[in-house]
Each structure stands twice: as structure tokens, then as C-alpha cells.
Amino acid sequence: LALALSASPWALSFSAPRALGARPLTSVVRRGASDDKPAAAEESAPSMEEHAAALTGDARLEASFGRAAVGTWIMAASMLPGQWRSVPAVLCTIASLQVLRNAASRDRLSGGTFRMLCLGLLAGFSALLFNSGCQVMELTLRSQGVFNVRLAIRVAATIFASVSGLGAAYRALEDHGLPKFKTEIRAAKGRRWLLTLVASGCAFTAVQQLVIGGVLLFYSRYKAVGALRCFVISACAHVCQTAAVAGPKRLSSETYGLLNAAVALDAVVRLSVWVGTEIGVAALPAAPALVTLLSAVGGLLIGKLYTPEK
């Protein structure tokens, strides 16, 4: 059912009008061209067929990210109320999909931030799809006449989101290439000491989520959450780190505001587990979540308070 929905014609039309309207056909004509040189303008402008094909590709890519977000929302809803602590990891994935959907509508998927998010989603959804296949076999072979409706909905939504997200992320990376990993944490603009602290916290979060997510993915039964933490949240933290290094102007964009807010929400939920724990060895696991919260909120506030220089 999920595979059929992902390939259905009506699903391809999800948010297509905005994508088709993002690049009007009049934009192919060069502004300022003189009337006495129509032939040169015609040669420089792409044909109607080429432009329509490009618009169709953008629309399909944007629609694929949109379908993946819908499936991920259903997956998050199926985790409530029993697994509410795992929902923020899914919300970070939805935030990444929303960012990529907006970038696809503006034809900006060639940027390093968006390629990094595509790489994280490609790896994360690959692990989710494999895990969902194993769960389908378990539902089939071990049901013994008892059908778990909640688990079936979650598995179907995961497969639906994974197929759509995998295809869109792969096509984006195929068109624009793999991203470069940047390890710089020293800011170049603005209040350098503050931005360097924010970048250091984001870099720590990326490494910590990569390790913790890998442990959950390979050595626990929380494999779906582990895959999202290992690949998607670590990618979100990494691009927030590069934004902090670039300066407050970069952090002021809607892209990094949304990603920082999602990472901060995840840190709040992680901290809530340790509320009431006495200060000491038992409270040490809360330290990484606190670092994540401070760096994400710091990046969010720096971006919101940024005012362009006149």
C-alpha cells in the first residue's frame, strides 16, 4: 500500500502549484535585451520543452519531500502517547524535510546545507526502510492471529516516508554532488567568541548524536530513533555549526531558525528525563542535552536579534 501510494499520480501533485509558480516562464528572457537583437535573446533562452522539463523535475522533487513529511507526521502520531520521548527526533526529521521542500521550490538544493541534509536523510531513511521490512516479516510470521493495528500503521507510514524521502534525497545528491564536511568552529564575523561557543556546542552535539544514535541503532530495540539521531539530527547540528561560523546573518535565515528550534525541542525532552535527579554522577547524562539546548537556543536568539547593517 505504501509503495503504491508513493508512486500514485495524485501524490505527485502535492504542493506542485507553488513549485510550478516559483519559476515563471517570463524569467527565461534576459532583462534589458534590446529589440533589435531578438535572435540573440532566443538563442540564450532555453526552449519551452527544456523549461517545462526542469519545472516538472522541481515539482516532483518538492512533492517527494512533502510526501515524506506527511508519512513522518503519521509515524510521529503513532508513537503517542507511549513513546513520546522519541517524537522530537521525528520532528527534527520533519523540520529537515520542510527545509528541503522549501529549497526545492526555490531551486536551491545545490547549497551545501541542503546537500548535507539530503545525505543525512538518505542514510536515515535507508536504515528505517530496512528496519520496516524486518517489522513486516515479524508481523507476518509472528502475528498468531493477533493484528497490531498501531504497529501496522507505523510501519506503513515509515515505508511511505522512506520511499519518498530516499528518492528525493538521492536525486538531489545525484544532481548536485556530495557535500563537504566542515570542521571549523572559529567564527569569522560578528561577536566571534559567542558564535564560536555556539559552533562548538553544535559540533559537540553532532558527534554526540552520531555516537548515541549508532549505539541505539545497532545495540538496542529503538532502531528507528537511533537511525534518526545518528544521521538526521547529527546533520542538523552540523549545518547549524557551519551557520554559526559564517556569522549572524546566516543564522537569521528561516532555514537555520527552524533547525535550531527542532534541535532545542529535542534537547528539552532529553533534559526532562533527568528533572528531579540529584546533582552528581546520576545527572551526568543530562550534560550533553544541556550543551545542545544552550547552543541551539543561542543560535536561534542570535539569528532572531540580528539586524542588517545599513
Side-chain angles (χ1 to χ4, degrees):
L1 176 62
L3 292 175
L5 288 175
S6 64
S8 61
W10 63 265
L12 291 178
S13 63
F14 185 90
S15 67
R18 189 178 65 168
L20 292 174
R23 292 164 58 186
L25 294 177
T26 55
S27 64
V28 300
V29 181
R30 230 185 316 177
R31 294 184 178 179
S34 58
D35 296 333
D36 57 345
K37 295 181 180 180
E42 291 180 359
E43 291 178 358
S44 63
S47 64
M48 295 289 292
E49 291 79 6
E50 293 177 351
H51 194 77
L55 286 176
T56 304
D58 291 344
R60 287 181 177 177
L61 206 59
E62 182 187 2
S64 296
F65 286 124
R67 293 197 304 273
V70 171
T72 311
W73 271 115
I74 299 174
M75 183 172 63
S78 65
M79 292 180 175
L80 297 173
Q83 301 180 11
W84 63 272
R85 292 191 181 96
S86 303
V87 172
V90 184
L91 294 181
C92 287
T93 306
I94 295 173
S96 301
L97 290 168
Q98 181 63 32
V99 165
L100 291 173
R101 180 171 166 241
N102 293 337
S105 68
R106 303 192 306 268
D107 196 16
R108 293 183 56 190
L109 288 175
S110 59
T113 292
F114 308 116
R115 287 183 290 152
M116 179 62 67
L117 293 178
C118 283
L119 183 61
L121 289 175
L122 181 66
F125 279 134
S126 298
L128 287 181
L129 187 61
F130 180 81
N131 184 58
S132 298
C134 295
Q135 288 180 328
V136 169
M137 296 178 61
E138 183 179 0
L139 284 172
T140 305
L141 300 177
R142 299 184 180 181
S143 60
Q144 297 179 354
V146 179
F147 187 72
N148 192 333
V149 178
R150 181 181 291 271
L151 181 59
I153 293 175
R154 185 186 308 167
V155 170
T158 304
I159 294 176
F160 178 74
S162 299
V163 171
S164 302
L166 268 174
Y170 178 80
R171 287 194 295 271
L173 292 175
E174 185 182 27
D175 293 339
H176 304 293
L178 293 174
K180 295 181 179 180
F181 289 89
K182 301 178 181 179
T183 58
E184 181 67 35
I185 60 173
R186 296 183 61 183
K189 299 178 181 179
R191 297 183 178 179
R192 298 184 180 181
W193 64 271
L194 182 58
L195 290 169
T196 300
L197 287 178
V198 171
S200 301
C202 292
F204 172 80
T205 300
V207 175
Q208 189 257 349
Q209 289 296 300
L210 186 68
V211 174
I212 297 299
V215 172
L216 292 175
L217 175 61
F218 292 109
Y219 302 107
S220 75
R221 61 190 181 94
Y222 303 105
K223 299 187 181 300
V225 177
L228 296 180
R229 291 196 176 281
C230 183
F231 301 115
V232 180
I233 299 183
S234 61
C236 292
H238 179 73
V239 298
C240 290
Q241 167 201 336
T242 58
V245 171
K249 183 177 180 180
R250 181 76 61 85
L251 287 173
S252 64
S253 69
E254 182 182 354
T255 294
Y256 301 104
L258 181 60
L259 294 177
N260 273 318
V263 173
L265 177 62
D266 177 66
V268 169
V269 174
R270 287 160 53 198
L271 275 174
S272 67
V273 179
W274 305 100
V275 172
T277 305
E278 295 182 0
I279 298 177
V281 178
L284 285 180
L290 183 60
V291 173
T292 300
L293 179 61
L294 293 177
S295 58
V297 172
L300 184 62
L301 291 178
I302 290 174
K304 292 296 183 181
L305 297 176
Y306 170 74
T307 53
E309 297 180 358
K310 296 182 180 180

